[in-house]
Amino acid sequence: MKKPLLTILSCLAVTTALAHQQTGDDRVDYRQGAYKIMGWHMGILGDMARGETAFDLDRAREAARHLQWAERLTATTYTPDTKQAHKSRLLPRAWRDMDAFADRGKALKNEIDALESDLEAGNEGAARQRIGEVGKACKACHDDFREKMKH
Ligand code: HEC
């Protein structure tokens, strides 16, 4: 049987990935990717909360699920091998006060869980307000533990 070119190419890509030792910098890439995913879905929710796009419960539920998943991914990336990663914008004070940092993460998780409950209940008004609370939980952590971003 003839192998399609795509299969061969993807096998090559997998082999290359396996041959490459994962470093702290790679993990920071992964972390930043997960945060970008959160940013994307917050964008969708924020537009709905502000009434810039129609409020759609199914779309909002899907966005909330992606937020929850991406939050779980970021939480696994704060390993010591990322401490020296140059591209990371995590402020060093987070390592000195990991409990406070982790609390910010928990606060976000709680708001996302609450948003999911509001959406399950079909309560649009509560969900709109809750999206604001989720946004505040993002900002609270960024204010304390992330370098200022230029863009
Ligand atoms: C517990 C702390 C914390 C919470 C909560 C948090 N963030 Fe972040 N966020 C960070 C840190 C730290 C970085 C920088 C990560 C790095 O560079 O190593 C970051 C980076 C980002 C970035 C930039 C990614 C890149 O490099 O391009 C975006 C976008 C982002 N966060 C969005 C969000 C959104 C949206 C939420 C809420 C839904 C959120 N964050 C909640 C700590 C947090």
Side-chain angles (χ1 to χ4, degrees):
M1 209 174 77
K2 233 172 88 187
K3 271 194 180 175
L5 181 61
L6 211 62
T7 315
I8 297 170
L9 285 180
S10 59
C11 286
L12 277 178
V14 169
T15 322
T16 317
L18 288 177
H20 174 74
Q21 179 74 41
Q22 290 173 329
T23 65
D25 280 296
D26 295 333
R27 202 186 298 275
V28 168
D29 274 342
Y30 171 107
R31 175 195 297 163
Q32 292 178 342
Y35 280 124
K36 280 196 180 91
I37 290 172
M38 294 208 309
W40 179 269
H41 294 286
M42 239 352 242
I44 293 174
L45 291 166
D47 283 352
M48 284 190 208
R50 286 187 300 270
E52 282 164 27
T53 52
F55 202 96
D56 176 325
L57 273 176
D58 287 335
R59 258 187 101 212
R61 265 194 221 113
E62 195 183 321
R65 273 199 293 271
H66 286 309
L67 270 189
Q68 195 178 53
W69 159 76
E71 191 281 327
R72 276 206 300 272
L73 295 186
T74 62
T76 64
T77 66
Y78 291 94
T79 48
D81 60 344
T82 61
K83 271 191 195 180
Q84 308 303 331
H86 294 300
K87 57 170 65 165
S88 175
R89 295 191 186 89
L90 177 71
L91 291 175
R93 79 161 73 106
W95 295 108
R96 292 195 295 272
D97 199 353
M98 235 330 136
D99 287 349
F101 181 71
D103 281 348
R104 295 283 193 225
K106 273 185 225 131
L108 173 63
K109 189 187 172 304
N110 290 342
E111 294 300 349
I112 298 171
D113 286 348
L115 173 61
E116 291 206 300
S117 305
D118 294 338
L119 292 167
E120 273 325 305
N123 191 339
E124 185 185 319
R128 277 178 193 271
Q129 282 199 340
R130 187 71 66 182
I131 291 167
E133 297 305 316
V134 174
K136 281 185 205 157
C138 307
K139 188 174 181 300
C141 187
H142 293 161
D143 285 351
D144 287 349
F145 296 110
R146 189 181 74 173
E147 276 173 22
K148 297 272 164 295
M149 300 208 19
K150 282 155 207 91
H151 52 87

